[in-house]
Amino acid sequence: MNQEDKFKNVISHAKEYGFVFPSSEIYDGLSAVYDYGQLGAELKKNIRDHWWKNMVQMHENIVGIDAAIFMHPTTWKASGHVDAFNDPLIDNKDSKKRYRADVLIEDHIAKIESKIDKEVTKAEKRFGESFDPVMYKETNPRVKGYVDRIKVIEERMKRCLEAEDLEDLKQLIIDEEIVDPISGSRNWTDVRQFNLMFSTEMGSTAEGASKIYLRPETAQGIFVNFLNVQKTGRMKIPFGIAQTGKAFRNEIVARQFIFRMREFEQMEMQFFVKPGTEMEWYAYWKNERMQWHLDLGMPEESYRFHDHIKLAHYANAAADIEFKFPFGFKELEGIHSRTDFDLKQHEEHSGKKLQYFDPEENKNYVPYVVETSIGLDRMFLAILSQAYEEEKLEDGTERTVLRIPAKLAPYKVAILPLLKKDGLPDKAREVINGLKGAFMCQYDEKDAIGRRYRRQDAIGTPYAVTIDHQTLEDDTVTIRERDTMEQKRVHIKELSGILHENIGA
Ligand code: GAP
C-alpha cells in the first residue's frame, strides 16, 4: 500500500471507530475543524497526561498552569503577533486556490530533494558496498547541481522573508517556474501578508466592546504569569512553567486532516534560565524532547531535527522535531530559544517589572527562555498513522491493527465472556469490577470471539481477557496480547499485576 492510500485509510478508520469526526458534520463540516469521538478523546487525554507527567511530575523544577484563552489585547501587541504573525499568501488566478508562498517554495525544494534521493539510490545500487553518499553528492555534477540550486533558492527565500520583500518572493516563484499543484498554471497574484489571529469582541454594547484575540499560542499565558508563579511557588532559576490548552490560527492552507487545524491544542513549556546559559539548555531540551518520543517506542527513523532557516521574531535559535507522516517529514514539535524577548516586551508594554532576583548573583535580571512546544493533535496523528497496520496473518486472513503504545491506548483491556450464557457474563462483570478502578476496560459479549478480538485490534486495545467455563471452576482466564496475538492462561488475581507491568501507565 502506498503512503497516500495508507493516509486515506487512517482517516476513514479514525472516523469509522470514533476517533475523529469532521466538526458539525450534519452541516457538511467546518473547514479544518475536527471533533474527537469517544476513542479519540481518550487517546488525546492519554497523550496529554503522559506529556504532563513527563514534564511536570518528573521534573521538580517544572510546574503547570492553566491560563485563560482570552488575554488582554495588549498581550498580542507586546508579543509581536499583531504586527508580525503573518503568512505570505498567494492565489492562483486559474484554480482560485490560495497558498502560502513559502510553502509552495518549500514543496518545490522537496521535489528537487527527491530527485537527489533517486540519483543516490540508483548510484548505491551501481557501486554496492563501497558507495559513499556524502562524497557522491559533493562530486557528481548532476547531483551537485541540484544541491547548489536548493542552496540558492533557500537563501533567496530567507532574504525575502526576513526583509518582507514580497515582490521578490513572487519573482522567486516565477523564476523557479513553480506551478499550481492543482491546475498546473503559473498565473499567480501578487504575494500579500495575512495575519493569522482570530479576533472577536468582548463586552455587550457596540461602544463598550473591545477587540480581543483568541490566543494563537499558549505561551503568552505563561509569560504574563511568570512572576506570579515564581513568587508564589518560590521557584529558583532554572525552572519551567508548563501548560496545555487550545490555540487558534486562521490558517491559509488548512489540509492534511488534523495536521493543520484552525482550532488545535498545544502542550508548551517555557524554561527560564540565566542569560548566557540558554544555548546549553536549548541543546538539553532538544535532546530531552527527542528522547520523549523515542521512549514511547516510536521508531528512530521516523524522526529528524530540522534547524530553522528563518527564525521567528523572538528566537535566537530554533529547531523542529520532524516526524515522518504518511505525507512526508513535517514539523511535529518546536524547540525555541526565545531569549528575553517576551518578558522584556511585556515589561515595556505593561510598565511592570518582570525580573528575577538571583540570590547567587545578588542581582535582578530578566531571564532567558527556552521553549518546547508540541501540537497535541499532531502528536495524535503521528501516533495513529504510525500505529495503523493492515496485517496479513499466517493463515491467509487479514486484520487491521492499531499498535498504539499500550500506555496511550484508549482501552487497556477488553473483557470478553466466551458465551452470553451459563453465568459467564456475570463472571466477566466481576473481573471488570476488579480492574476498572485502575484501567479503562471495555466489556463485549456480541459475536464470535474471533470477531471480538479483531474489533479490539482495530481500536488498539493491548489486552483481551476471555472468560470461559474453566474460569467458573478455577478462576483462570486467557489473556491475549494485541501485537503478538499470543494467549496464555493466568489466574484472575494475576491480571492487575500483568497489566500494570506491561502497560506501565
Ligand atoms: N509557542 C511557540 C509556537 O506556537 P509553533 O511552531 O507556531 O510555535 C508549535 O507551534 C506547535 O504547535 C507546532 O510544532 C505544531 O505541532 C503545533 N501547531 C502549530 N500550528 C498548528 C495548526 N494549525 N494545527 C495543528 N497544530 C499546530
Side-chain angles (χ1 to χ4, degrees), residues 452-496:
R452 281 184 268 166
Y453 284 152
R454 291 289 172 276
R455 272 207 291 272
Q456 295 302 326
D457 290 342
I459 64 170
T461 310
Y463 292 97
V465 167
T466 306
I467 280 74
D468 56 20
H469 290 95
Q470 195 182 326
T471 313
L472 301 179
E473 285 165 25
D474 62 6
D475 266 357
T476 65
V477 292
T478 45
I479 180 161
R480 172 189 181 269
E481 207 264 331
R482 175 195 69 199
D483 294 345
T484 59
M485 295 191 292
E486 271 167 19
Q487 301 188 17
K488 65 177 178 184
R489 193 122 205 134
V490 301
H491 197 278
I492 288 173
K493 279 194 203 144
E494 292 175 86
L495 282 176
S496 177

Side-chain angles (χ1 to χ4, degrees), residues 217 249 251 259 261 266 268 331-332 338 371 373 375:
E217 61 171 13
R249 295 182 190 179
E251 297 283 359
F259 179 79
M261 301 157 89
Q266 289 187 315
E268 299 202 296
E331 175 188 347
L332 169 59
R338 289 179 80 129
E371 162 187 76
S373 173

Side-chain angles (χ1 to χ4, degrees), residues 11 16 42 63 69 87 107-108 114 149 179 189 202 208 263 271 278 285 290 313 319 330 356 358 452 454 482 487:
I11 296 171
E16 185 182 344
E42 283 296 330
V63 291
I69 287 173
D87 275 346
D107 287 350
H108 175 66
S114 72
R149 191 163 146 214
V179 297
T189 62
M202 182 175 259
E263 173 181 341
F271 200 68
E278 72 274 13
W285 281 110
M290 181 63 97
H313 56 275
K330 296 274 177 209
Y356 171 76
D358 190 329
R452 281 184 268 166
R454 291 289 172 276
R482 175 195 69 199
Q487 301 188 17

